[in-house]
Amino acid sequence: MNLGIEGRKAIICASSRGLGLGTAKALAEAGCDLVINGRNEQLLDQIAKDLAVKHSVSVTPIAADISSPEGQQAVLNACPNPDILINNNGGPPRRDFKELDRQSIQDGVIQNMITPIELIKAVIDGMAERKFGRIVNITSMSVKMPIEGLDLSSGARAGLTAFLAGVCRQYAQHNVTINNVLPGKFDTDRLKGGFERQAEQTGISIEEAKRLSSEEIPAKRLGNPEEFGKACAFMCSAHAGYITGQNLLLDGGLYPSAF
């Protein structure tokens, strides 16, 4: 399917690996010019070169912490008038809520709620003036289904979801949409870290931990970043202008609900 966004400009936060990278690949394939972001400058530069050559698009790498005002400004300077914004960021590490102090709670909220809101504030009026905008927030299945030890991540992302539920309806008339994509278990470095902890705690191999986790999923496999990216790209497409304020759950059927 032609997504109808060739030549559009996209910012993809935290896109040097995992789901952010999968989304950057899909948008580059759709013909978008990209600003990609991460903290590893050498890795970002290589990704930018590879995507630019493969898809004949412009790709600008910005090595920065997207949660910092300086990092946000660097990304916005590279793309002051984006048509597409993909909000993505690492989440706080798994930790019992009783271990959280005030500073760690504030840091988690800045990462997963305040930063996306600040970026949306910076770009949404321009999108409205140009009569095209697609904002996708990569959140988590844990927004709908609590996961032990991820209370801070879940709470901040749920707060973002509720905050934007009203905002998105203010801008729908301008062909600007805001949606959330909720990943379940995907084959990424973050999940690999969980398998390593499980293997260490239980004495099983990492591969066995991965297999056991896959067995819990009705699809009987982990998701891959490329299929995640294509779903995100569709939400950014010209065909998705009537979809806003929604939570797209990508979990292989893991969350058991009829609605």
Side-chain angles (χ1 to χ4, degrees):
M1 177 188 290
N2 185 333
L3 297 183
I5 50 176
E6 184 175 357
R8 295 289 187 183
K9 296 178 176 62
I11 293 173
I12 307 102
C13 302
S15 44
S16 63
R17 59 181 182 171
L19 303 181
L21 177 57
T23 303
K25 289 178 177 178
L27 288 174
E29 184 179 354
C32 294
D33 293 324
L34 310 181
V35 169
I36 60 174
N37 158 254
R39 302 194 191 196
N40 186 324
E41 185 172 3
Q42 184 176 358
L43 177 59
L44 274 179
D45 287 345
Q46 187 59 56
I47 291 168
K49 291 175 185 176
D50 292 345
L51 291 178
V53 169
K54 184 174 182 179
H55 299 291
S56 300
V57 295
S58 169
V59 185
T60 303
I62 300 294
D65 175 4
I66 198 62
S67 292
S68 70
E70 298 79 14
Q72 291 179 34
Q73 194 58 56
V75 167
L76 292 169
N77 287 345
C79 186
N81 297 301
D83 303 295
I84 295 166
L85 170 64
I86 307 295
N87 277 314
N88 183 39
N89 208 350
R94 187 184 293 262
R95 189 182 301 172
D96 186 274
F97 84 97
K98 290 176 290 186
E99 299 174 10
L100 299 171
D101 58 21
R102 176 181 284 262
Q103 188 60 55
S104 60
I105 293 171
Q106 289 176 339
D107 291 344
V109 173
I110 288 171
Q111 279 182 293
N112 296 143
M113 181 178 176
I114 293 175
T115 294
I117 292 170
E118 289 176 334
L119 288 168
I120 290 169
K121 285 177 59 183
V123 304
I124 197 166
D125 284 337
M127 292 177 171
E129 289 171 8
R130 296 187 299 275
K131 299 297 181 184
F132 185 93
R134 299 288 184 265
I135 298 170
V136 175
N137 307 298
I138 299 176
T139 62
S140 172
M141 178 182 69
S142 68
V143 169
K144 295 178 72 73
M145 186 176 79
I147 297 174
E148 184 180 350
L150 293 182
D151 312 287
L152 178 54
S153 173
S154 305
R157 297 181 198 275
L160 176 68
T161 304
F163 186 101
L164 296 174
V167 175
C168 70
R169 287 162 174 86
Q170 297 175 42
Y171 284 86
Q173 63 184 311
H174 303 296
N175 191 30
V176 177
T177 67
I178 304 176
N179 291 290
N180 310 299
V181 180
L182 286 59
K185 295 185 178 183
F186 277 78
D187 198 358
T188 63
D189 289 343
R190 183 171 173 85
L191 199 61
K192 181 182 177 183
F195 296 146
E196 290 172 346
R197 286 192 299 274
Q198 183 182 353
E200 183 178 342
Q201 291 169 359
T202 62
I204 63 176
S205 68
I206 294 173
E207 283 304 312
E208 178 65 7
K210 185 175 180 178
R211 186 192 69 79
L212 291 173
S213 184
S214 299
E215 283 298 312
E216 297 173 354
I217 304 168
K220 301 302 179 187
R221 65 177 180 86
L222 302 177
N224 67 72
E226 286 71 26
E227 65 185 328
F228 179 92
K230 290 183 182 298
C232 271
F234 176 77
M235 299 301 284
C236 299
S237 74
H239 315 299
Y242 209 55
I243 305 171
T244 198
Q246 301 304 306
N247 293 285
L248 178 61
L249 189 62
L250 302 181
D251 68 345
L254 182 58
Y255 177 67
S257 174
F259 301 100

